[in-house]
Amino acid sequence: MPAPPDLTPLQAAARALLCRHGAMDLAALAARLLAEGFDLGEDAEAFLDDELLECADHDELPDGRQVSLTATLEGAVATSRLTDQEIATGVVQVEPELGLLLVSDAEAFPLPDGRTAEIALSGARDPEADLGVWQLSGPPGWLDHLHAGEPAAFRLSGGVLHVQAAGTLADPAAAIQALAEAFAEQSTDGDPIETRQLLLAVLVDRPHVLAEPLPPLTDLLDAAELETYGDWVGEPGTAWGHADDEAGPYGLDAEGHEALGLALAGFQKTLEQGPEELAAFPEVVEALAACLSVDGVAEAFLDGVLAEADETRAAATAGWAGLLGQGAPSWPGPHLVLAGCAERAGDVESGQRALAAALHADAASPAALLDAAWYAEDRGDAPGALSLLRRAGVEADDPQVERLEHYAAPGPAAAGRNGPCPCGSGRKYKVCCAARNGHTLDARVPWLLAKAAQYVQRPPSRHLLAVVALARVGGDPDDPAWVDVAFGDPLVTELALFEEEALEDFCDERGPLLPADELALARSWVGVRPSVYEVTAVTAGDGALALRDLATGERVQVTDRAGADALETGTLLFARLLPAGEQCVIAPGVLQIPFTLRDLLLALLDTDPDGVAIAAWLAAVDAPPELRTTDGDPLVDCVAWFRVADPQAAGAALDETLEPHDGHWADLAEGDDGQVLRGTAALDGDVLEVRTHAESRLEALVATITAAVGDLELLDEQRVPTSERFAAGASAPPPEVAPAGDAGMAEALDTFMQQAEQRWVDESVPALGGVTPRQAADDPTRRGDLERLLDEFEEAAATTPVGMGTFDVGRLRRLLGLS
């Protein structure tokens, strides 16, 4: 068999040896190459290993043996039952049945007639992406001699791929046993391994069992009591990570994933060969249109091919979908893709036409019904949108349904068609508020905000939500919480709309659909910035709030029936006030702000931050405190128990080594402000208990005690980061926390806190405008802020876990002369 091009003489010689003699380890291969006269340097195996890393057609087994892939695959056969769509499109799903082809690492396979079949990860720019589907695609008609549902054999011989009807299948017993044995040899404790690794091991050590047509690989693995997941194989019941999500991304089942892969591959081939080639095969057009019409596939396809803003690719996608729609108009999928392309282009007229065509093709298409309801809602047609949602099977308790039911019912400005409009405009009802079913603009403000929020949650704008949500949860992309935050936190939606300019895009793109008064109102909101407001008065019952803008001093009246009853005078709010006719409303993303953050947040807003910066700042102040010792080590509650051989001698040694104190010993060190308690030790019979608040201190104290007492027998130990207990809001000490009855530890902690309090009253405090608490107590203009700060300390102390130090507010008041 011909060698791959571009091999060095050494690589070619190594490949020839592996083809002739089979797999061998580096030492054996190096010995044969040395015998042939090659100079491999002082470390022959390392030199050879480096050379083979860059060698095409080469791989290494987990046990270190080197193999030639072409030689290993010579004569190997994989079997698959092709579908009508695969035969029609000429694109075959590779995994898992044709996994043998992935063993080769080849990107293309010559066919007997001189043409080529190509293998590629279709539709995904990133091989790790969920949309990645390995596809084998050949020239037009290359599978026409096969029949759907019947086994087809794919055989590699002399580097050429032969595809033919499998005919009678061989007895699979030997192959089933070989797969089970190879898995047992390759897997560690039953852990999953790559399917490619399993097949390579079988091909190397049992070369004849896969040399004739057998039942498809999934049947063989099932008989061997194994299962596949993507490109992995494992024992039944393996925890596959996301395997519990049976439908997978976009709600796709196995059929949906296969249809998506075929659609992506068909689109890619059209890009490469041109639309004329596709138009010449109407059966392929029909098959691709059917693939796009499988539930969820059109949406997944759009996200796969238009993940990035690219006008050229978007135009190509729309052209391809239009070709399918014309050639196979009875399938809704191509029209859904056209509607998605129109949405991304901001073309609402084209979007509505495409959705109408999709519903004409399939009046029950869930995706078409849902998107049509979105258009109807933006137009202000609540009854029409509600009807479409019900046809799509949306539940009655869905928030969108509940919202539309409210606006589908007659509003406060409803009247007879020819009567005067109750809104006071002086016009007849039929030419005034009838189009909005009697709901005035003021009453529709929540609806307009919901429309804008719905817009930013659609696929084309979701990236704005994602970056804000990611910042809101602290910037960890591996934290799954950010997905829930993106769609569940009104503040994230608001920041994406107002600070990331999505509101302006909403007005530009959906403006032709919105009622004129709603569009004008939405445009008036563009550029409105948030601020920090103080609640100066609350009118119980009617939701009226009096607010003072702490940045400008401006006073304003607002109505917030949903949240006003929970607010008290003096509460601080991070809020955005939106004009709505003669009144102002609070945008949904409102937060109560602790007094201590008032000046810091105002300073941030003075810098004109974007939504990501605001979300990141809020995430930082919400994060659990990073608690550290005076040495700078993380605070960790550490306790260890040891058995001592002679308790009396141990006590005497500890008296000489540590500071004796009421039945226990203290490890004290000199600090900047006096002595620092580093840990304690106590004896109970022959059990020595050692406690510290840092792991490094525990290790140092144990070393000190060991040097004084002798070897200790460790019985048990516990180490719990203090921040974990703090974040959990523990109200009682778990077993590893020093109990309140531990007089020595409690006394030492209280002494430490008194020292901290005495320092604090004379330190500059940002929440007090930079003055010290003692100066604020003497300044009538600052004393109110000081009182608020002390009140917040008192509230925080009530929820602090037992065993953690907190300021004693009573002592602070006495120090400051406030009590």
Side-chain angles (χ1 to χ4, degrees):
M1 61 192 69
D6 303 325
L7 294 183
T8 66
L10 175 60
Q11 291 169 343
R15 179 184 179 278
L17 287 168
L18 293 172
C19 289
R20 189 160 59 248
H21 301 287
M24 65 184 78
D25 61 26
L26 277 171
L29 183 57
R32 290 181 181 272
L33 289 168
L34 288 169
E36 292 191 3
F38 284 94
D39 180 9
L40 302 182
E42 293 182 4
D43 191 342
E45 291 182 36
F47 179 82
L48 180 57
D49 192 27
D50 289 341
E51 280 287 306
L52 292 179
L53 281 175
E54 304 299 326
C55 180
D57 188 43
H58 169 268
D59 207 340
E60 179 178 286
L61 293 172
D63 62 9
R65 285 180 295 167
Q66 313 298 306
V67 296
S68 163
L69 294 175
T70 300
T72 301
L73 284 162
E74 178 65 22
V77 180
T79 308
S80 179
R81 293 185 177 93
L82 303 184
T83 65
D84 286 323
Q85 290 177 335
E86 288 176 316
I87 294 173
T89 60
V91 181
V92 179
Q93 182 172 329
V94 172
E95 293 178 309
E97 311 297 16
L98 301 182
L100 276 174
L101 302 182
L102 295 177
V103 174
S104 73
D105 280 344
E107 296 180 357
F109 298 95
L111 299 174
D113 62 5
R115 297 186 295 174
T116 300
E118 298 178 350
I119 192 168
L121 191 63
S122 245
R125 298 169 181 81
D126 178 355
E128 299 297 323
D130 285 336
L131 294 182
V133 180
W134 286 106
Q135 304 286 343
L136 178 69
S137 58
W142 76 297
L143 301 175
D144 286 353
H145 61 292
L146 302 173
H147 298 285
E150 297 181 2
F154 291 70
R155 181 191 299 272
L156 287 166
S157 178
V160 175
L161 178 63
H162 301 263
V163 184
Q164 59 195 48
T168 303
L169 300 178
D171 183 353
I176 293 169
Q177 182 179 353
L179 288 166
E181 291 175 351
F183 180 82
E185 294 166 1
Q186 299 291 316
S187 171
T188 302
D189 298 326
D191 290 339
I193 61 174
E194 289 185 275
T195 307
R196 180 185 185 278
Q197 177 185 339
L198 175 68
L199 293 174
L200 184 57
V202 171
L203 289 167
V204 170
D205 293 325
R206 303 159 180 86
H208 303 298
V209 299
L210 300 180
E212 52 190 338
L214 296 166
L217 181 61
T218 48
D219 294 351
L220 300 177
L221 291 172
D222 185 59
E225 298 185 355
L226 297 169
E227 66 181 16
T228 61
Y229 180 72
D231 53 3
W232 292 80
V233 61
E235 298 174 340
T238 297
W240 293 109
H242 299 293
D244 57 330
D245 181 11
E246 294 181 1
Y250 310 98
L252 299 183
D253 54 15
E255 178 192 3
H257 278 291
E258 180 178 354
L260 173 61
L262 291 170
L264 291 167
F267 173 67
Q268 188 61 38
K269 285 185 72 69
T270 303
L271 290 182
E272 295 169 359
Q273 299 177 357
E276 300 80 8
E277 184 76 18
L278 176 61
F281 294 91
E283 69 281 3
V284 175
V285 169
E286 189 81 15
L288 290 172
C291 288
L292 287 175
S293 300
V294 174
D295 285 348
V297 169
E299 301 95 308
F301 174 85
L302 281 165
D303 281 358
V305 301
L306 298 181
E308 300 174 3
D310 184 331
E311 293 184 5
T312 301
R313 190 174 181 86
T317 305
W320 181 75
L323 181 61
L324 298 184
Q326 292 172 6
S330 61
W331 292 100
H335 306 299
L336 289 172
V337 172
L338 281 170
C341 291
E343 179 184 345
R344 285 160 172 79
D347 184 351
V348 295
E349 294 301 325
S350 296
Q352 291 185 104
R353 286 196 300 270
L355 288 174
L359 288 172
H360 181 74
D362 180 2
S365 168
L369 288 168
L370 292 173
D371 279 3
W374 174 47
Y375 275 82
E377 180 170 11
D378 276 3
R379 290 195 302 269
D381 180 8
L386 191 58
S387 173
L388 290 164
L389 289 180
R390 287 170 174 162
R391 284 168 56 190
V394 179
E395 298 292 335
D397 59 354
D398 183 270
Q400 187 181 9
V401 170
E402 293 177 346
R403 179 173 69 244
L404 289 169
E405 284 178 338
H406 173 75
Y407 290 104
R417 283 181 51 78
N418 291 311
C421 188
C423 76
S425 66
R427 295 181 293 172
K428 290 184 178 182
Y429 175 68
K430 66 181 180 182
V431 296
C432 190
C433 290
R436 307 285 77 81
N437 202 18
H439 294 280
T440 63
L441 179 60
D442 287 353
R444 283 182 277 125
V445 166
W447 195 9
L448 178 57
L449 286 167
K451 293 177 184 181
Q454 195 165 231
Y455 167 82
V456 80
Q457 291 173 355
R458 299 281 301 184
S461 300
R462 249 175 232 165
H463 65 284
L464 298 176
L465 275 182
V467 295
V468 175
L470 192 58
R472 184 72 178 96
V473 297
D476 180 3
D478 295 325
D479 183 355
W482 77 266
V483 179
D484 294 331
V485 170
F487 292 95
D489 186 346
L491 177 61
V492 169
T493 300
E494 181 182 318
L495 291 175
L497 277 169
F498 287 88
E499 311 302 333
E500 301 296 325
E501 302 181 355
L503 179 62
E504 197 167 356
D505 294 338
F506 167 71
C507 294
D508 292 342
E509 294 180 14
R510 307 301 287 182
L513 297 174
L514 295 173
D517 56 352
E518 291 183 18
L519 176 59
L521 182 59
R523 288 201 184 281
S524 75
W525 293 344
V526 173
V528 174
R529 302 306 308 274
S531 189
V532 180
Y533 294 88
E534 179 185 11
V535 177
T536 57
V538 179
T539 304
D542 64 3
L545 294 174
L547 303 178
R548 179 169 66 94
D549 187 340
L550 297 185
T552 65
E554 180 184 1
R555 296 179 181 271
V556 63
Q557 296 286 327
V558 301
T559 299
D560 182 21
R561 292 182 175 85
D565 290 344
L567 298 177
E568 298 178 352
T569 300
T571 302
L572 301 183
L573 302 176
F574 171 71
R576 190 185 317 267
L577 303 190
L578 303 175
E582 298 299 321
Q583 63 174 340
C584 280
V585 297
I586 302 178
V590 61
L591 286 181
Q592 292 192 33
I593 298 297
F595 160 73
T596 51
L597 299 181
R598 179 193 63 187
D599 293 337
L600 296 173
L601 182 52
L602 285 169
L604 172 73
L605 296 177
D606 278 344
T607 66
D608 197 25
D610 61 14
V612 172
I614 294 174
W617 188 88
L618 291 170
V621 300
D622 285 345
E626 186 178 17
L627 306 171
R628 293 185 175 274
T629 66
T630 54
D631 299 327
D633 295 323
L635 272 179
V636 179
D637 293 325
C638 302
V639 57
W641 295 271
F642 302 90
R643 179 168 283 115
V644 296
D646 185 342
Q648 186 174 358
L654 290 172
D655 283 339
E656 298 297 326
T657 307
L658 302 175
E659 184 72 26
H661 187 80
D662 293 339
H664 73 278
W665 293 269
D667 178 23
L668 300 175
E670 291 298 325
D672 293 339
D673 298 296
Q675 288 188 319
V676 175
L677 176 68
R678 299 172 58 85
T680 63
L683 265 174
D684 183 4
D686 64 349
V687 176
L688 176 68
E689 180 186 86
V690 180
R691 289 181 178 274
T692 71
H693 283 304
E695 292 181 290
S696 60
R697 289 183 177 181
L698 177 66
E699 292 158 6
L701 182 53
V702 168
T704 298
I705 294 173
T706 301
V709 174
D711 290 340
L712 303 173
E713 178 190 352
L714 178 64
L715 300 177
D716 195 10
E717 70 172 3
Q718 294 176 338
R719 305 183 185 200
V720 179
T722 309
S723 58
E724 287 185 9
R725 290 196 295 108
F726 187 83
S731 58
E736 69 273 10
V737 180
D742 187 340
M745 183 70 82
E747 180 183 341
L749 183 60
D750 187 62
T751 300
F752 174 80
M753 294 310 302
Q754 287 189 53
Q755 294 171 347
E757 290 161 5
Q758 290 168 355
R759 291 194 302 271
W760 182 77
V761 297
D762 291 309
E763 291 177 347
S764 172
V765 177
L768 299 175
V771 303
T772 69
R774 201 182 299 278
Q775 290 170 332
D778 294 335
D779 183 348
T781 66
R782 291 286 185 184
R783 193 175 300 136
D785 287 349
L786 176 59
E787 291 283 3
R788 286 192 190 185
L789 186 56
L790 294 176
D791 288 344
E792 290 193 4
F793 283 174
E794 204 157 32
E795 292 173 5
T799 59
T800 299
V802 174
M804 288 189 61
T806 59
F807 281 172
D808 183 320
V809 176
R811 283 199 302 247
L812 287 175
R813 290 184 182 279
R814 290 191 292 274
L815 283 171
L816 295 168
L818 297 177
S819 63

